[in-house]
Amino acid sequence: NAGVTQTPKFQVLKTGQSMTLQCAQDMNHNSMYWYRQDPGMGLRLIYYSASEGTTDKGEVPNGYNVSRLNKREFSLRLESAAPSQTSVYFCASSVGTGGKDEQFFGPGTRLTVL
Amino acid sequence: GQSLEQPSEVTAVEGAIVQINCTYQTSGFYGLSWYQQHDGGAPTFLSYNALDGLEETGRFSSFLSRSDSYGYLLLQELQMKDSASYFCAVSSPGGSYIPTFGRGTSLIVHP
């Protein structure tokens, strides 16, 4: 039982390049999330998927797109990377029942955009 | 929308008790969660309060006062390994029940 896995762990991009961050969970969770974490800013929600087949914008969606490929996988795409997108990206999943809906986080992807 | 306030840093000595406060403003309220994050690591869930009062889990306790829009995390018998960042998070119906995280409190435990 691997929990939530993310690839890659580290990435360096040049401005304007594109890339996709991959996330998978093996806990049969309904909901999945993408966050970014910047120093002193806490975790900010980029996009989420409450259930397979649905996606919604979070607090900071500009410059990103997502795909809920199936129940297990939720990917985040940067179409044209900008230095402002330098951050640590966390994927998370939860059962999705609301209330005490504990989120399980992946190990993170550390992205630098030059 | 939701907003949360927590201190940016708290320091304490090993063996002591420390309290990390969190005040929130939210349109509707469902629950208050706490997460722990060590440097370079992923956040991990610690506790959840939906009702007023104290929830205890080993050395950690979490308190909520809905009327005061206030909660705290209490860490007892501090250990060096408790040095980490602690985030409070509010979930509300207005936010599709998805938690909104505070900016985090860095806890530094000294020997």
Side-chain angles (χ1 to χ4, degrees):
Chain A
N1 192 339
V4 180
T5 57
Q6 292 183 235
T7 56
K9 286 189 169 54
F10 300 93
Q11 184 71 50
V12 178
L13 294 177
K14 294 180 180 177
T15 297
Q17 287 185 317
S18 62
M19 79 162 295
T20 300
L21 282 65
Q22 306 287 352
C23 174
Q25 53 91 11
D26 62 1
M27 294 174 282
N28 200 35
H29 284 169
N30 294 309
S31 299
M32 297 185 74
Y33 316 83
W34 277 106
Y35 294 91
R36 61 176 289 172
Q37 185 174 37
D38 303 295
M41 295 296 293
L43 291 155
R44 291 185 293 170
L45 184 65
I46 305 171
Y47 270 93
Y48 68 97
S49 171
S51 61
E52 188 178 355
T54 68
T55 61
D56 283 289
K57 295 178 181 179
E59 179 186 353
V60 288
N62 291 348
Y64 306 94
N65 284 300
V66 290
S67 295
R68 183 75 182 265
L69 305 168
N70 47 56
K71 191 170 186 179
R72 291 186 64 248
E73 298 172 288
F74 189 38
S75 63
L76 178 72
R77 182 160 178 83
L78 287 72
E79 289 291 352
S80 179
S84 61
Q85 294 178 304
T86 293
S87 188
V88 180
Y89 291 85
F90 287 101
C91 176
S93 70
S94 71
V95 173
T97 56
K100 183 183 175 181
D101 195 23
E102 176 183 349
Q103 297 204 349
F104 293 81
F105 286 82
T109 295
R110 283 142 185 85
L111 174 68
T112 301
V113 183
L114 302 174
Chain B
Q2 294 98 341
S3 69
L4 298 97
E5 293 288 334
Q6 52 181 130
S8 59
E9 185 176 294
V10 172
T11 60
V13 296
E14 225 176 348
I17 300 172
V18 73
Q19 178 175 312
I20 299 173
N21 299 320
C22 175
T23 58
Y24 58 86
Q25 288 185 315
T26 181
S27 52
F29 177 84
Y30 208 71
L32 183 71
S33 302
W34 288 92
Y35 286 78
Q36 178 191 59
Q37 184 181 30
H38 286 99
D39 270 351
T44 56
F45 176 85
L46 288 177
S47 67
Y48 175 79
N49 295 70
L51 303 175
D52 286 359
L54 195 68
E55 295 280 342
E56 298 181 65
T57 308
R59 294 188 298 115
F60 292 5
S61 302
S62 57
F63 172 82
L64 175 66
S65 169
R66 294 171 67 113
S67 59
D68 295 323
S69 297
Y70 164 75
Y72 65 73
L73 181 69
L74 191 74
L75 296 83
Q76 302 182 73
E77 302 173 15
L78 278 175
Q79 302 175 9
M80 297 295 290
K81 67 178 182 180
D82 297 329
S83 292
S85 291
Y86 293 84
F87 296 89
C88 60
V90 167
S91 57
S92 70
S96 300
Y97 299 101
I98 297 168
T100 297
F101 287 82
R103 296 192 173 197
T105 298
S106 176
L107 171 63
I108 302 170
V109 180
H110 296 288

